[in-house]
Amino acid sequence: MHGPAGPAASSREGMLMRTSRNFRAAVSIGLVAGLALVSAAAPSSAQPARPLPAKQPVAEGSGGAVVSDTAESTQAGIDVLRRGGTAADAAVAVASTLGVTDPYVAGLGGGGYFVYYDAKTKKISTIDGRETTPAADSPTMFIDPATGKPYAFETAVESGRSVGVPGMLATWERALQRWGRFSLADNLRPAEEVADRGFVVNPAFAQQTQQNAAKLGHFSSSAQLFLPGGKVPQVGSVMRNPDLAATYRQIARQGTGAFYGGSIGRDVVGTAQNPPLAPNAPIQKITGPMQLSDLKAYQALDGTPTHINYRGYDVYSMAPSSSGGITVGESLNILGNYDLAHMDRVQALHHYLESSRLAFADRNRYIGDARYVNVPQQQLLSKSFAATRACQIDPAKAGKSPVAPGDPYAPGGGCTTVPAASSDSNEQHTNHFVVSDRWGNVVSYTNTIEQSAGSGITVPGRGFLLNNELTDFNFAPTQGSAPDPNLPAGGKRPRSSMSPTIVLQDGKPFLAVGSPGGATIITTVLQVLVNRLDLGMTLPQAIAAPRASQRNAATSDAEPAFIAQSTTAGLQALGQSFTDVGSIGVAAGLEFLPHGRILAAGEPSRRGGTAAAVVSRH
Ligand code: GLU
């Protein structure tokens, strides 16, 4: 939230490091320990063991495809597609089922960005379903009145103050109005069934519960739902969520008004205003000002995507309130000045890292909710601006971060910058999924409740967690004497990094891709695109390849497998340095092959792997 020199920079950076290190420990060695803890837990109220449903990271076929985090959500989408639903119908089935099986990263209490290719009009459109700040909030909402200083990040995370007005359900409704064939009630049914019947707890779910156990334990409603009997559910046990099934049924019966003004909404508001702290919870109770009028006023916003052309491919992604599309697009435009495919691999990776180093300086200086700040989107995405940034790259030497932003308003090219005052924010978790249907429509949709387990606050009796998305604002100005585009304000949407992307080739879908991972989303999407479009990898290889993320910081975050590559010594000789942060991102993608075939690709192992499936294997 603050710049490297800012007072709380270390807290947010530190939080990423801690969580990532936990994750890495769990993945490499500690999973066994984690599971040992899990299996040491007394039997929970969850039911007897069932086998885990099979997941596969890659599938190829025709008639439509889904790649999402869990086997149940992918199956829900495939079932809707087989019944004749569109990609939008299937996306609602996938997202609502993820609310059951992937509840720590997304659900009714959160928001997201929906990018849609309409095969009939051949146009790409977006829906901004980002959470919104309650009207009564102000730029000082994260300043502790007792001290006059910003709340510690950890304090703000578990508070009613960080809860934004959820945009998820409004996004589903809008997507179905524009592109659906089935009703919302029809598309919620698979999720209701999974919530009623239950799903088999897999190692990833148990691990996420374990990692969030303290946070969930701070709120009585969350402990009751996710820690039955006070324990982390065992792998192989069955986790049910009858409260969420009932919530979905009520929405199916009464429509979205039940949430945006009705009794579900009243419960959301009551919970944000008065979080149900568990007895003796060792945290400060910080309430939020959300009112029913905020829910009534919420709108999922129709929009147009960002667009750039990269080596002949048309790359479309999410415009503000997300910084994703502009930052991925600017990085690609910078890289368009170089022939990566014919560079040696060290130079290609050096240029990849330098492009996002520069683009993040611009993101932090210029991008916020465009309804509140003037975002120079056109300039930031112009080839001429990219040329002024590309000329900052020294092939022999890594940039010294924080590098200064460019000046998108400067007339004519040059190699000019404005004074540096950089910031970086790191958030974790979320999910991304992709869907296509028999007509050739495509969805690329990233959903989130911000951190893993969001605010940690479950709406009592409703079966879903509330987001803490408003912690994506900068709590205090980060840009020195320049205005900070991402300060809070009533009604404003916090800047996101989500980058749901669709790439066209000759006007037809070629790729759909995205990832979770906070600010690393941008670099993950960029790296997958560079891997696929420049470095000769197939889509599954491009997704599985080891990742590094440079976000205008002194060192790049990197996965151990990236650091272990033979290119690292050469990169270090150029002044690049890497911090092992465990795993980065959880990508999901589709590639549209000749003759109507689709290659669906997810993660073989990150966060337990993703589930890819096609409607027909033929
Ligand atoms: N809140 C983050 C964003 O919108 C996403 C959270 C994450 O992916 O970890 O950029």
Side-chain angles (χ1 to χ4, degrees), residues 151 155-156 158-161 272-273 275 277 284-288 457:
Y151 287 112
T155 307
E158 297 184 34
S159 76
R161 191 69 51 88
Q273 288 180 359
L277 251 57
Q284 198 183 335
K285 180 159 177 162
I286 303 175
T287 61
I457 309 169

Side-chain angles (χ1 to χ4, degrees), residues 180-198:
R181 293 185 71 206
F182 298 166
S183 67
L184 178 62
D186 284 339
N187 290 318
L188 291 177
R189 202 154 298 126
E192 272 165 49
E193 281 167 20
V194 177
D196 268 332
R197 187 178 70 228

